[in-house]
Amino acid sequence: MLKMLDVGKWPLFALHSQEELKLIRQVCVFGSAGNEVLYATENDEVFALGTNCSGSLGIGDVQSSIEPRRINILCGKKLASLSYGSGPHVVLATTEGEVYAWGHNAYSQLGNGTTSHSYIPCQISTNLVNKKVIEVACGSHHSMVLTADGEVYSWGYNNSGQIGSGSTANQPIPRRVTGCLQNKIAINIACGQMCSMAVIENGEVYVWGYNGNGQLGLGNGGNQPTPCRIAALQGIHVQRIACGYAHTLVLTDEGHIYAWGANSYGQLGTGNRSNQLHPVLVTIHQDRIVEIAACHSSHTSAAKTQGDDVYMWGQCRGQSIILPFLTHFCCTDDVFACFATPAVTWRLLSVEPDNHLTIAQSIKKAFDNPDNADLRFQVDGKYIYVHKVFLKIRCEHFHSVLNNGTEEIIEISEFSYPVYRAFLEYLYTDSISLPPEDAIGLLDLASFYRDNRLKKLCQQTIKQGISEENAIALLSTAIKYEAKELEEFCFRFCINHLTVVTQSPGFAEMDHDLMKNFISKASRVGAFKN
């Protein structure tokens, strides 16, 4: 999330006043020259301006406009996901799960059964009735959506099998992508110019469509008419995928990036400009990666680390950057605004208001604030200020403990100050912010209070601090607290780094029964085969 839109980075907003800019909440810049803009304001009005190629502004005609014009049919809708093709055409999902499309339609990429361009947004309902769409993705002239129940639907141009139907006939209406995806639950989708990809919930990646530059990562250059799993990522749990013009990036649950496909601008970040048919690990500074960015209109790649460093590589204003380069930006969106050609947004960009506090932000601000608190916890000699009524609403344990009490101070000796403060803050924010090493103590607390959601958040945080040295200790912790997700993650990490892990002090000091079980399980997955 950005605090404010920097007008200098998006020239199309140069004619807006500061007052107008303050009202903008979501933005998408698109088009062959980055000359088309759609944005939503704080009161859910939707406007567009720019060159309006093929009616892609959705304002009812093909006239270019330097002044913002309202898209009436979208006003009052809350935008959830937006993508665009090269035609250009635009596909948009609302927070209600409705899908709208407009613009260029020569290849049926609008999914309305025709090949006529549409100058206004039309709702796509065929085969999507009673389906809530949560994500959309466009290739050059095809479209794809992901539903809340993990199904993938596609339509449009299909010359290379990018629709995944098994043929190369264009598809005029949305149809579910089946084949190997038939009984799988997808969690993320992406499109290159003429290919499509999906990540499923167990971390596998399925790909289909054009493969002339190896962008499918299958080890060859042949097109793929139906979804095919990338076998080279076996044992690697992928969380997110992003497609450039003809290259692909994935982010793993260990915070690593793998890349493959076209590399003529260094967009794979490998230090050379040779295409890669298989996934290769991208080496970035030691910090964990939390976000990857690419879009099918450019040959640029970007990533953000856990420490908020933003790197870019690939095409940069006509230059080739062949290794990840540390920028001065605070978000990956700025990379595409300043360096990519064309200068477009790689996603629907959200802008937070500067002055208005939401309910969630107000509650967060009230935490540990002595001004209006009516209860203090004393931990390790320090105070944490809270509100009884809020704790009773949020936590079953406090509902009974504080029900008739008149206490103003409660002493806590079972947990450390950072752990207990993080727990109380979680009740106010629904998130946790503490280092992975402290999250183990919080996992203990979550088990003690039987808070399964907190337990899940702790597991996610602990994962971020895993290393070859502490992997065995974290595995022991996961087993102790019956944290199954963390246990599986630690076990997989140990298998992927087996040589170093088995030479660590933690392995030598391992509990006898735990070691026996570990060796047995590792043998079953073939870890000790030559």
Side-chain angles (χ1 to χ4, degrees):
M1 289 288 214
L2 295 184
K3 282 291 180 193
M4 187 181 150
L5 195 66
D6 185 340
V7 293
K9 294 188 177 111
W10 303 106
L12 275 165
F13 287 104
L15 294 179
H16 282 57
S17 69
Q18 284 300 312
E19 287 66 36
E20 289 173 310
L21 288 169
K22 282 178 183 172
L23 299 176
I24 294 174
R25 293 293 170 265
Q26 292 172 298
V27 176
C28 182
V29 181
F30 60 100
S32 59
N35 278 342
E36 274 128 348
V37 169
L38 179 142
Y39 68 87
T41 64
E42 65 177 9
N43 58 356
D44 295 323
E45 286 192 301
V46 181
F47 295 89
L49 70 151
T51 50
N52 204 14
C53 181
S54 300
S56 58
L57 295 186
I59 52 180
D61 55 44
V62 290
Q63 300 300 311
S64 61
S65 177
I66 204 161
E67 290 281 329
R69 290 177 61 187
R70 186 181 278 102
I71 307 177
N72 292 320
I73 196 169
L74 296 180
C75 289
K77 310 275 184 188
K78 293 185 186 298
L79 315 186
S81 178
L82 186 149
S83 189
Y84 50 84
S86 307
H89 75 289
V90 180
V91 180
L92 178 152
T94 69
T95 54
E96 296 290 307
E98 299 171 339
V99 184
Y100 292 85
W102 64 95
H104 192 273
N105 196 33
Y107 304 95
S108 300
Q109 60 263 47
L110 300 187
N112 60 13
T114 76
T115 52
S116 303
H117 302 339
S118 177
Y119 304 147
I120 59 167
C122 297
Q123 188 173 352
I124 304 171
S125 53
T126 307
N127 294 333
L128 295 177
V129 175
N130 299 324
K131 294 289 177 184
K132 181 179 181 180
V133 168
I134 57 172
E135 188 178 11
V136 301
C138 295
S140 63
H141 298 89
H142 75 286
S143 309
M144 190 159 71
V145 299
L146 172 65
T147 67
D149 51 7
E151 296 177 349
V152 179
Y153 290 77
S154 63
W155 61 92
Y157 198 32
N158 195 31
N159 66 329
S160 304
Q162 58 265 50
I163 297 306
S165 61
S167 78
T168 53
N170 294 349
Q171 194 152 287
I173 55 171
R175 291 198 185 281
R176 189 173 170 202
V177 181
T178 52
C180 290
L181 286 183
Q182 178 71 52
N183 298 310
K184 306 267 192 316
I185 295 175
I187 58 167
N188 182 215
I189 55 172
C191 293
Q193 280 276 300
M194 295 190 294
C195 64
S196 306
M197 311 197 178
V199 180
I200 64 169
E201 61 178 352
N202 70 355
E204 293 177 345
V205 178
Y206 286 79
V207 295
W208 58 99
Y210 183 70
N211 194 31
N213 301 100
Q215 55 262 63
L216 298 188
L218 298 174
N220 59 54
N223 296 350
Q224 177 65 36
T226 56
C228 180
R229 184 174 66 87
I230 301 182
L233 292 173
Q234 178 75 34
I236 294 166
H237 193 286
V238 170
Q239 289 184 321
R240 300 289 299 174
I241 192 161
C243 292
Y245 187 94
H247 75 288
T248 309
L249 308 174
V250 294
L251 176 63
T252 75
D253 64 350
E254 290 185 17
H256 297 146
I257 299 177
Y258 287 83
W260 60 88
N263 198 27
S264 51
Y265 295 92
Q267 59 264 47
L268 300 186
T270 54
N272 59 48
R273 295 203 283 183
S274 304
N275 290 3
Q276 294 288 340
L277 303 182
H278 289 105
V280 291
L281 184 64
V282 180
T283 305
I284 295 187
H285 174 68
Q286 293 297 314
D287 205 357
R288 180 186 177 89
I289 305 299
V290 295
E291 183 177 274
I292 53 172
C295 68
H296 70 78
S297 59
S298 70
H299 310 283
T300 304
S301 303
K304 185 176 181 177
T305 71
Q306 198 168 347
D308 287 336
D309 286 333
V310 174
Y311 289 81
M312 71 82 56
W313 58 100
Q315 190 178 32
C316 173
R317 292 288 180 185
Q319 304 295 310
S320 296
I321 307 227
I322 60 174
L323 283 169
F325 173 80
L326 178 61
T327 71
H328 62 278
F329 298 135
C330 60
C331 63
T332 53
D333 307 278
D334 287 354
V335 169
F336 289 84
C338 297
F339 292 158
T341 306
V344 293
T345 46
W346 69 271
R347 60 177 168 185
L348 181 63
L349 174 60
S350 294
V351 185
E352 277 184 354
D354 267 345
N355 43 18
H356 174 70
L357 288 180
T358 63
I359 293 172
Q361 288 166 334
S362 299
I363 292 171
K364 182 178 181 178
K365 200 174 177 184
F367 171 67
D368 204 12
N369 184 343
D371 291 347
N372 54 16
D374 57 1
L375 178 65
R376 286 178 288 171
F377 283 90
Q378 187 174 6
V379 193
D380 297 342
K382 301 175 192 170
Y383 287 123
I384 307 165
Y385 297 87
V386 291
H387 306 78
K388 289 179 188 176
V389 66
F390 195 74
L391 298 191
K392 281 156 60 172
I393 291 169
R394 288 283 289 150
C395 180
E396 192 63 40
H397 167 76
F398 290 126
H399 185 72
S400 52
V401 168
L402 301 174
N403 216 15
N404 299 310
T406 56
E407 59 278 276
E408 292 181 5
I409 300 176
I410 298 177
E411 285 190 42
I412 299 291
S413 56
E414 304 92 337
F415 302 101
S416 69
Y417 174 80
V419 164
Y420 211 78
R421 189 182 191 281
F423 165 59
L424 294 173
E425 187 175 14
Y426 154 75
L427 296 179
Y428 279 73
T429 64
D430 224 19
S431 63
I432 60 174
S433 57
L434 78 176
E437 57 270 20
D438 287 335
I440 294 169
L442 191 56
L443 180 61
D444 182 20
L445 185 151
S447 300
F448 181 73
Y449 286 143
R450 296 180 180 164
D451 189 324
N452 288 329
R453 173 167 165 72
L454 180 57
K455 204 169 168 179
K456 191 177 179 72
L457 289 174
C458 289
Q459 292 178 70
Q460 291 169 0
T461 301
I462 292 167
K463 284 180 187 179
Q464 295 169 7
I466 198 166
S467 66
E468 286 96 343
E469 290 72 35
N470 68 13
I472 291 295
L474 293 185
L475 178 62
S476 307
T477 299
I479 292 168
K480 177 182 175 182
Y481 295 117
E482 298 180 350
K484 293 295 182 189
E485 183 186 326
L486 180 61
E487 182 185 340
E488 276 308 307
F489 174 81
C490 292
F491 177 75
R492 196 169 63 247
F493 183 93
C494 290
I495 297 303
N496 289 342
H497 304 81
L498 194 60
T499 304
V500 182
V501 166
T502 52
Q503 293 168 355
S504 69
F507 189 79
E509 296 158 10
M510 207 172 175
D511 172 80
H512 174 73
D513 289 340
L514 182 60
M515 182 178 284
K516 201 166 112 183
N517 289 337
F518 177 81
I519 291 171
S520 169
K521 191 174 176 183
S523 298
R524 287 200 299 276
V525 298
F528 301 118
K529 288 179 183 171
N530 290 328

